[in-house]
Amino acid sequence: MNTLEINSLVKEYKNGTSALNGVQLKITNGMFGLLGPNGAGKSTLMRTIAGLQLPSSGSIIFNGNDITKDPQKIRAHLGYLPQEFGVYPRISAYHLLDHIAVLKGVLNPVERKQQITALLQKTNLYAYRKKNVNTFSGGMRRRFGIAQALLGNPKIIMVDEPTAGLDPEERNRFFDVLAEVSSAIIVLLSTHIVEDVRVLCSDMAILHEGRILEQGNPKELIEQLEGHIWRTPVTKKRLHNLKDTHTVISTRLSAGKTSAYVFSNEALSNDFESVPTDLEHVYFHALKTAKTNRYAA
Amino acid sequence: MLPKLITFEWKFHTKQPSYILFSILFFVGGIYFGLQDGAIHADNTYNLHLFVGIVSLAAIFQIVFQTAYTVLRDLNADATQYIHTTAVGKGPFLLSRFLGIFNTAVLSSFFYVAGLLLSVVTDVFSIHPEEPIQLIHFLWPWLVVVVPNIFIISSFLFLTTIISRKVPVVFLVGFVLFASFWINNGYIGSPIGGGRLVVPQEMVDTIALTDIFGLCASHAQTQFWTPLQKSTKLVFLTGSFLYNRLLWLGVALASLLISYRCFSFRLRAQKARRVGLLKHIRRKRVQRKEKDGKKLPYLPIFTEKQSLLAHCKEFATLVKIDFQTTLFSKPFLLLALGWVAVLCMAISHNLNGQEVYGNTLPTTGLIVGLILEPLSYMGLFIMIFYAGELVWNSRGHRFNEILDSTPARNGLLLGSKYAALFLIPITLIVLAILIGLAFQFLSGYTAIDVLLYLHIFYYGGTSLLIYGILSVCIQLLSSNKYLGMLGSLIFIYGAANLLPLFGIEHPLAQLFNLPKIGEGYSSFTGFGSQEALFNKFSLLWVTVAMLVAFGSFKIFKRNSEWVLKEQLRKLVRLWNPVQRFLLVIFVLIICISAGVIEHTVRNDSALMGQSELLHFREVYEKKYKPFAKLAVPAITDIKTKVQLFPKSKSYQVIGDYTIQNITTRPIDTILITARHPLDSIVLTGARIIRKDMASIDARIVVLSPPLQAGESRQMHFKTTKKVGAFEVQRDMAQNGTYLRNSTFEPRLGYQQALEITAQSERKKRGLPPQEDPENIEKTAGKTLPKQGFETWITTDIEQIPIAPGNLLDTIQMGNRVQYHYRSTRKTDNNLSYFSAAYKKKAIQYKGITIEAYFLPEHGSNIPALLNAAVKTLEYGSKHFGDYPFDHLRIAEVPSHWKFGGHALPGTIALQERFFTQDNQDPLKGINQLTRVVIHEIGHQWFGHKLAPAPGAGGNMLNETMANYVEAQVLERIFGKTMVRQLANFNRRRYFAFRSSAEAQEPTLNKVTNETYVAYRKGFLAMQSLKELIGEKRLNYGLRSLIEHHGEAQSARAEDFLDILKATGTQEEIELITDWFENRFQYAIQGKLLGIKVNKHTHSVTLKVSAKRLQTNETGTEKEVPIDERITIGFYQKDPADPSADPYFKKVRLSKPIEEITLQLKKLPNYIVLDPMITRLDKNVQDNLIAIEHTNEH
């Protein structure tokens, strides 16, 4: 069993921006979703785990090793797909994978070839393996990124916003791959798409402004809010008033009409309709609560 | 919108660090140049023109940086899509971007001019003249040279960026522009290049147009200007300079138009690779077959990270990928092509000396020298550039997060950068060697020295290794690639020059600087006397560089943040035992090698920094100048015992000189000066009253009783010398010693040669303006006696010792050999001692033994050399009297001597390069081997048999007459065409050197050290004289002169002129006076008016314009009436054709413009006025009339 423990992790940039504010997480084998809006600190957290950035304080323990002191301890077992990446020009997909595989320690040429071929097939890039990667489209390049992250024998895979730019078919294919490998390793998936976490993850955390707002099993988190989410159709004016009187966690547009979703521990009037809770409600509720707490503070 | 865009660009550029840095550098650079004594002459308009104009070259680098930043900033910042979809039009968009670059570069260049002006106006060191500064002299070149150049360079680089969209290509084109200037400049040897080559006017005209920077065009316009003109006139916007400006501004505008046409806001589509039809079909078939391949399951694979094999494989793949992404790229391909082109040009230019310099054999030494030179300056830029490219390679391609999250170790990631970086110069050197070999094979040259080629890696590669390591380290500390490149350039240049700039002249103060190896390769001395020093400094600076590299591994930044503090923290902490051990080893090596160098410096008594040397000269002059007025005895007999120890580069000389008072009054005090301290000196009846051994051996001796008029006494001295490691001297070599007596001999009397000559430096040190050397000699004003000479010269047994005089005997003593020479005739005090592992070839000619001493591998030109010697002896004996010795020795000396040949009595030193001249086609160009041999043998009559009295005009009897002999013997061996070429060479060189001469031009009969008068003008004057009075009368006059002055150093130029005038007509006397005692030039021009065909003849009518111009010492011209005969040549073949067999006619010209009708039996193809170029005429192209036979009426 692989474990990744993040203890009181703080990251402050030189310009004073506080990207991580005491992040505390414990992750074991399986898919772990890191959900958060843009700028929440997801990429910073991933880069810090990958040893690409130094934390201001705190520790990251991977399988018993503090990797803030020795990042090699995690790199030897890491597959990392950054949110944005480029590639060297004039290098084919096969050769670039081969290059990364050697760097990851896949020394046996036969095995290396087999694994690269398998990954190219899995990511639907086999037919383009001799093409230079810099000529790939955005989706192809992302698939290439996934392939390289899976090279070798990773014990932890971190994928930062992996489904951006993928069409639904590719997205499913990608999820299949992750699901296939996640039983024996940690897969840390960062995203702002709630659906991705819902579909894939057995465990998750919501990160906002560098803090963990919620952490747990998605089902359990949903269950905690069951019966507390209410929906009501609103106009702009009513929404404004509603925000003053109720805890509006989100609004949603459906067939041109806006509905507001309200969190309430008590039953509401007939204008409100109790709706089944989903993960998105959990996510927005957490963000709303964080915002309210901040104002209260 | 456009003004707003321009304002935005202005703000953007002026905030860029590169702009700020360049502006500061330019301003400081301007101040620096203005403070350099002897560099800027504020009272010389042309000098200011050059110094202001030269900033154009530095501006290239600024524009490169700014263009790369500006034009590609959208692309680099991934902002293309939203910037290119705004409402701005293509024209305003591009124009604002271009003007952003242009405006700021113009402003930066102005800072340079402002800095220059400031330092000249303030003149803190009082080095500039007191005349008021004219602002226009600074602003005009900035307006006509610098500003247009910035426009041109910006346009080219702008176009390059628009088309290529690649920063490396912009850098490369910038470098090509920079190099193009130096190549053009080198071809014509304009004053900036310092080459002062004599090249055909056609080439000057061509280069004037092709030089993008207009400086060669400025040179073309001013090449024949007099010093006065250069001081007062601005370079006009006329002629080739105007054409140059218009041409390149036109090309620049066209570039901008092309940029406009090529630029599109649309995203650029990926280029489809062209494939042949068959290949396409085959690929499709394979693709179909391989569409999905055999399905394989994804399985994690065991990884191996710690083994050596894993590290090796990782390293190999990292190097491969870096190498692939940098070297297999278009920019590198262009760089390699540029490198090949530079080398091919340099090699072919040197092998084929064209009209003037003759062909040279493609020896490996020559080619290696030609490779090392461009490698040193190109290499610095290449290493700095590619260090940046490689360090930022993964970041530049945004691949760093993937790469850095792999388990590859830091050491391997950085180590692979070094490996890929060093592969670049290795590739360039290998390419260079292949080119060299190709030249050798194509020329049929088979004596290839592969080992010597491999030396390039050491002598050329060591500096690049150091530069590479430093640049990588600076890039690791830098927050930006381009800032890193600029920082590297400043650091490397600053490290070598900063401390010396502040007067710290210790060799170790030139950080990371290796001694310059390669004044070209010599078969005698290899890469020069400083090879051993190079090894010591290499060890030191390479170890320091290794330490820097070691530190680089510590500060290697793998994370995506740039944290300098963190990097520095790593540098001082976290050292493991192995690292500590290595650190200690490196520091030990550094300490030891620095200690060895320091010890060498301490022991090197001859080592003197520039400021020390100037101080010594100041003190010498202040202390001993009063002794200049004292009468000095003359040396009448010399006996020396010279022990040469080539292996240790040391010698010992024991001298017994006889000195004689040749004045009419007793001499009681003598100042004796020796450049190297003497072991002892004894002068009969003398007492030393002052001894000054601080920097030189200066002694004042009092003679008691005084040396009476006519009395002789003995002077005995002993001196021992070991050449210091840092000492730049040429005399002693392990093979190829050429020890001049002036190097060791104690000199009697005040030595004016030791005075500081730069007037501004004299002013600074409170010294009065330097006296004209003429005055001192006038006070001496004596005819000097000749000297007897005898020597015993001993050297190692494998070498042959040579000195002037008859060889009396040789003695072998163990592993040493002694030769005893005695001169049968008295000579002047111009003596040297040779020793080298020579091969000897001797022939007899009418009782004279002609001996050639040369390196065994340099034997191919010996027959030609001996033939030239025989022909000269034949001509000289016939016309000037007997050759004075029974032997003639010609010995090869190393190529570090800048002279072509040096004539000692009966013995000639001939520089190595003539032994490697390609003499297969002796008629190609001027046969320099034969020319120099003739010239030096000519000195046996004019210089030794006839020794001029000291003082003005002496060089006319020495050098002018030796040049005259050259012309006569060359004509007999090779014909008139070569003499015409030689005359043209001398004509051009006269005008070019006069143009840059600082002193006023003396007349020929008063010439002292002005080579352009004695050699160049003298050649033409003697050819004119020959045409005027005939060769027979001229030679008779020379013979008479020799007969009258054979016994002492007594002949004067006037004596020769008097002999000629005594038998001359009035017209001849007047012309001789004009040519030798005044300054005259001509402007002759011919035009064909018509040809009439008669029964048996052709009647050819020419319009001849002939101006005669008298000039004063500053070159101001005044037209005077002409009335003299000039020669007209009639050629069937081109006058440059060696087989041309012209016939000549003389015509009298008595009007500035005349119509001349000539009756010719056969119509020539060319008519040439003054065909042998005997007159100083700035333009001889208009003397040649090509006849088209359709002109016949």
Side-chain angles (χ1 to χ4, degrees), chain B residues 849-1040:
Chain B
T849 310
I850 306 172
E851 296 163 0
Y853 293 88
F854 51 96
L855 289 181
E857 63 267 37
H858 287 171
S860 60
N861 288 344
I862 299 305
L865 181 149
L866 294 172
N867 181 47
V870 168
K871 291 286 191 298
T872 315
L873 289 175
E874 189 178 74
Y875 185 86
S877 309
K878 184 176 170 190
H879 297 284
F880 312 127
D882 290 342
Y883 173 74
F885 309 101
D886 66 357
H887 61 272
L888 172 64
R889 292 185 202 107
I890 303 174
E892 186 180 2
V893 292
S895 58
H896 57 233
W897 291 101
K898 295 304 166 203
F899 56 72
H902 191 88
L904 310 165
T907 303
I908 288 166
L910 192 63
Q911 213 243 35
E912 186 182 351
R913 71 170 184 268
F914 298 108
F915 292 79
T916 57
Q917 281 228 297
D918 185 353
N919 216 35
Q920 280 187 339
D921 180 3
L923 291 171
K924 190 168 181 203
I926 299 167
N927 191 311
Q928 293 290 352
L929 167 72
T930 307
R931 183 189 72 76
V932 177
V933 169
I934 298 168
H935 182 100
E936 301 308 332
I937 299 175
H939 277 308
Q940 301 305 322
W941 284 275
F942 302 103
H944 296 307
K945 195 168 179 185
L946 169 82
N955 257 343
M956 187 187 112
L957 299 183
N958 270 339
E959 301 305 343
T960 304
M961 299 313 159
N963 269 8
Y964 169 71
V965 180
E966 259 180 42
Q968 309 326 307
V969 181
L970 272 181
E971 186 174 334
R972 276 160 180 77
I973 301 176
F974 299 119
K976 283 188 163 53
T977 302
M978 195 177 288
V979 179
R980 177 181 150 81
Q981 284 176 330
L982 187 57
N984 195 29
F985 163 77
N986 283 303
R987 179 194 68 86
R988 282 191 58 83
R989 207 147 205 191
Y990 164 74
F991 283 114
F993 275 51
R994 185 193 65 160
S995 181
S996 54
E998 284 182 15
Q1000 295 176 338
E1001 181 189 345
T1003 57
L1004 192 52
N1005 67 327
K1006 296 288 180 198
V1007 66
T1008 50
N1009 295 317
E1010 297 81 3
T1011 56
Y1012 69 103
V1013 176
Y1015 286 79
R1016 312 303 161 205
K1017 185 181 180 177
F1019 183 96
L1020 270 70
M1022 289 301 285
Q1023 290 295 90
S1024 300
L1025 187 61
K1026 183 183 148 189
E1027 276 195 5
L1028 181 71
I1029 63 172
E1031 189 179 351
K1032 198 174 165 188
R1033 263 179 69 197
L1034 175 51
N1035 287 347
Y1036 181 76
L1038 289 169
R1039 187 176 190 141
S1040 303

Side-chain angles (χ1 to χ4, degrees), chain B residues 286-349:
Chain B
V286 172
Q287 273 179 2
R288 220 174 291 132
K289 205 164 116 189
E290 291 186 344
K291 194 177 173 193
D292 293 319
K294 189 186 163 195
K295 287 280 177 197
L296 291 170
Y298 165 70
L299 292 170
I301 293 175
F302 169 76
T303 56
E304 164 69 65
K305 290 307 303 169
Q306 296 302 324
S307 69
L308 183 65
L309 178 69
H311 294 331
C312 290
K313 286 200 169 184
E314 278 173 37
F315 185 74
T317 187
L318 284 165
V319 174
K320 188 180 156 198
I321 217 96
D322 274 334
F323 199 67
Q324 224 171 326
T325 47
T326 50
L327 255 75
F328 296 154
S329 61
K330 280 179 196 158
F332 188 80
L333 189 69
L334 285 172
L335 174 72
L337 283 174
W339 172 239
V340 170
V342 164
L343 287 178
C344 288
M345 274 194 289
I347 295 173
S348 64
H349 186 65

Side-chain angles (χ1 to χ4, degrees), chain B residues 48 136 153 164 190 256 433 535 621 648 702 707 751 765 777 802 814 867 872 1021 1041 1062 1139:
Chain B
L48 289 176
I136 188 70
I153 299 160
S164 72
S190 77
L256 289 181
I433 292 172
N535 298 339
E621 183 175 343
S648 59
V702 171
L707 187 67
Q751 300 300 302
R765 292 170 183 271
E777 285 180 10
I802 300 169
N867 181 47
T872 315
L1041 186 73
S1139 62

